[in-house]
Amino acid sequence: MNRGRAASEAGDIMLVRGSPGRGRARVTHAVVVIFLEFFAWGLLTTPMLTVLHETFPQHTFLMNGLVQGVKGFLSFLSAPLIGALSDIWGRKSFLLMTVFFTCAPIPFMRISPWWYFALISVSGIFAVTFSVIFAYVADITEEHERSMAYGLVSATFAASLVTSPAIGAYLSAKYSDSLVVLVATVIAVADIGFVFFVVPESLPDKMRLTSWGFPISWEQADPFASLRRVGKDSTVLLICVTVFLSYLPEAGQYSSFFLYLRQVIEFSPAAIAAFIAMVGILSIVAQTLFLSVLMRTIGNKNTVLLGLGFQLFQLAWYGFGSEPWMMWAAGTVAAMSSITFPAVSALVSHSASPDQQGVVQGMITGIRGLCNGLGPALYGFIFFLFNVELNDMEPVGGKPTDAEKSIVPGPPFLFGACAVVLALVVAVFIPEHHRLADVKTCSAHKAGSSASSSTHAQNGSPLATPTSDAEDIEPLLQDSRM
């Protein structure tokens, strides 16, 4: 009897990790997908600035904010639907879809810049790769393994940005932007091919539907309905507010920081590439070494508070700093602040059952997608109000700018620091150990009464995350424009 039960449980675990016949799903598959996607976009850092300036010679930064705003809002609308569908139909098909549409605009940078920016905007519908990747990793790891797995994926993202901007800048200066776009396109195609031919399905067969019906309601696809359901659980609400207040300034920072370093602080392209590499390397160390130590010693919630403290210090330094060495010093603090989101996400992932990982991750990704839309536009507007002009692509020499004369050279960063203060206040009230309420809708529960969903529930119960002190983390989600 016991032997048969043990064999059954072992079979369940084998299904979670992938059947030998179709290939074993591994964390390395997720790592390769993330690395290739963000390495391709990292190569385009320098050409992106040039194309922006050539396409929108007036109000370059504000137009960038508009494009990214549309993309972010579409991501916000689509993330809950894609996350929920991946819980039912499997991860691979949606991973292939998100990678394809996220990388689709790359070749159009040289073919037609207008089509390039149009496709970037529309690609927001599917630009939720991290949402599916997070759920993929949750499928194939036990709770005690998840901390290391998420840390590895998080470090991989940082690693993809260590060298790619510098390589892109070198190829652009030595040859042309067209070569950079070609190389990025080849890498993007390789990533799509890797997902299609190599990456196995992570969701067990018996946890997926056998037919392509539409087993979820439109209410589940409504991101605003999802946010209303979030409000019914005070812990999830506090976490989502913390994510919004802390990621809003970070999203704005990513959209403007390279231009800010080049125009106001007078960094050269080589210095910008070196800065990105330094922050990337330190982020790898922070997310693989320091994060695991902090999670074990001071706990999940205190790690969140510490990360928010680093982010507050970093943004304040960016806001008041006017010398290059100040930016380099603040960059080291920025790397340490990268521990915030893995720890924040653990508060959700730790309590969500296996069949809800996609829904939960989609919710968080949707909020951050909304920030990716609001952040750039908000930063651009604040720069405009304080007369910090970011249209000129060449460093300003000789006469100091108004920003350099002012006490606060970077007003948007100071605004971001104020938002993080509010995030700190909210995070203090987040309980560290709490079982999340079911985030699915009534229609999902009705679907659960069907034969296939009943099998799912019966077989999924041994895989439910136990309420233990073990904590798991998920990678830092960054803007795919990087």
Side-chain angles (χ1 to χ4, degrees):
M1 182 83 174
N2 292 336
R3 183 177 302 175
R5 181 179 179 182
S8 177
E9 292 180 356
D12 289 339
I13 295 175
M14 178 60 72
L15 279 174
V16 171
R17 295 175 179 276
S19 301
R22 67 160 186 254
R24 187 185 180 98
R26 300 179 183 275
V27 176
T28 51
H29 292 116
V31 165
V32 172
V33 171
I34 289 296
F35 181 85
L36 292 177
E37 178 177 322
F38 287 94
F39 189 88
W41 279 103
L43 289 172
L44 300 176
T45 302
T46 298
M48 169 73 85
L49 299 179
T50 303
V51 172
L52 269 171
H53 184 60
E54 292 176 349
T55 308
F56 308 110
Q58 300 294 326
H59 307 297
T60 305
F61 181 75
L62 292 179
M63 290 303 299
N64 176 54
L66 178 61
V67 170
Q68 299 302 331
V70 173
K71 177 182 178 181
F73 187 70
L74 291 176
S75 175
F76 166 72
L77 294 177
S78 65
L81 174 62
I82 293 178
L85 290 177
S86 73
D87 283 337
I88 299 171
W89 289 332
R91 316 295 184 196
K92 180 173 180 176
S93 56
F94 289 95
L95 186 59
L96 180 64
M97 185 186 303
T98 57
V99 171
F100 175 82
F101 282 100
T102 300
C103 296
I106 292 178
F108 286 89
M109 179 178 284
R110 301 310 298 174
I111 297 174
S112 172
W114 284 100
W115 273 104
Y116 169 72
F117 288 110
L119 287 175
I120 281 185
S121 300
V122 177
S123 70
I125 299 175
F126 302 99
V128 289
T129 304
F130 269 102
S131 175
V132 184
I133 284 292
F134 294 166
Y136 189 96
V137 172
D139 290 340
I140 61 179
T141 56
E142 302 295 337
E143 186 175 353
H144 68 278
E145 302 171 326
R146 206 163 293 162
S147 175
M148 182 64 70
Y150 279 153
L152 180 61
V153 176
S154 179
T156 300
F157 165 78
S160 69
L161 297 179
V162 168
T163 57
S164 55
I167 294 174
Y170 172 79
L171 292 176
S172 178
K174 185 73 174 178
Y175 301 99
S176 66
D177 287 347
S178 297
L179 179 63
V180 181
V181 174
L182 177 61
V183 173
T185 302
V186 171
I187 294 175
V189 171
D191 194 18
I192 296 170
F194 180 80
V195 175
F196 185 81
F197 293 107
V198 180
V199 174
E201 177 58 57
S202 65
L203 201 64
D205 291 334
K206 59 184 177 182
M207 295 181 70
R208 288 183 281 138
L209 294 184
T210 56
S211 62
W212 282 80
F214 201 78
I216 65 173
S217 68
W218 285 111
E219 185 181 358
Q220 286 179 274
D222 180 6
F224 300 100
S226 177
L227 292 180
R228 287 192 294 270
R229 293 194 298 274
V230 167
K232 296 179 180 179
D233 188 295
S234 59
T235 298
V236 178
L237 178 61
L238 290 173
I239 292 173
C240 289
V241 172
T242 301
V243 169
F244 180 83
L245 291 174
S246 56
Y247 193 67
L248 181 66
E250 188 167 333
Q253 174 183 323
Y254 290 137
S255 69
S256 64
F257 195 57
F258 297 153
L259 285 171
Y260 180 77
L261 289 177
R262 191 169 178 176
Q263 172 71 13
V264 178
I265 310 300
E266 299 186 9
F267 269 42
S268 66
I272 293 175
F275 182 90
I276 296 172
M278 181 203 72
V279 174
I281 292 173
L282 293 179
S283 296
I284 294 173
V285 175
Q287 295 171 22
T288 55
L289 178 61
F290 289 106
L291 182 59
S292 60
V293 172
L294 290 171
M295 295 284 280
R296 289 194 305 266
T297 55
I298 66 176
N300 191 23
K301 179 179 176 179
N302 289 331
T303 303
V304 172
L305 296 176
L306 181 62
L308 290 173
F310 280 122
Q311 187 182 8
L312 172 61
F313 187 27
Q314 159 217 339
L315 288 170
W317 210 340
Y318 283 154
F320 289 108
S322 58
E323 298 294 331
W325 71 266
M326 296 179 179
M327 299 297 105
W328 287 97
T332 61
V333 180
M336 286 302 301
S337 71
S338 66
I339 66 174
T340 302
F341 291 108
V344 166
S345 300
L347 293 174
V348 175
S349 180
H350 172 71
S351 302
S353 60
D355 64 319
Q356 292 183 349
Q357 290 292 330
V359 176
V360 171
Q361 304 295 0
M363 236 187 282
I364 299 298
T365 302
I367 291 174
R368 302 181 77 170
L370 183 62
C371 291
N372 282 332
L374 296 176
L378 185 60
Y379 265 50
F381 182 67
I382 296 175
F383 271 125
F384 175 77
L385 287 180
F386 285 83
N387 298 316
V388 181
E389 182 58 61
L390 295 178
N391 288 336
D392 189 3
M393 295 299 297
E394 297 299 327
V396 178
K399 183 179 177 180
T401 64
D402 293 336
E404 292 172 321
K405 292 179 181 179
S406 65
I407 299 176
V408 184
F413 304 111
L414 193 58
F415 163 81
C418 295
V420 174
V421 169
L422 297 177
L424 268 168
V425 174
V426 173
V428 168
F429 294 97
I430 298 176
E432 187 163 4
H433 302 289
H434 176 73
R435 171 63 64 178
L436 300 183
D438 190 357
V439 296
K440 293 190 174 182
T441 61
C442 296
S443 61
H445 288 298
K446 292 178 182 178
S449 62
S450 65
S452 62
S453 296
S454 295
T455 303
H456 179 166
Q458 292 169 1
N459 294 318
S461 57
L463 304 174
T465 306
T467 54
S468 66
D469 291 337
E471 294 153 343
D472 47 303
I473 59 175
E474 75 184 30
L476 173 65
L477 170 62
Q478 302 285 15
D479 192 346
S480 61
R481 293 178 290 104
M482 293 286 291

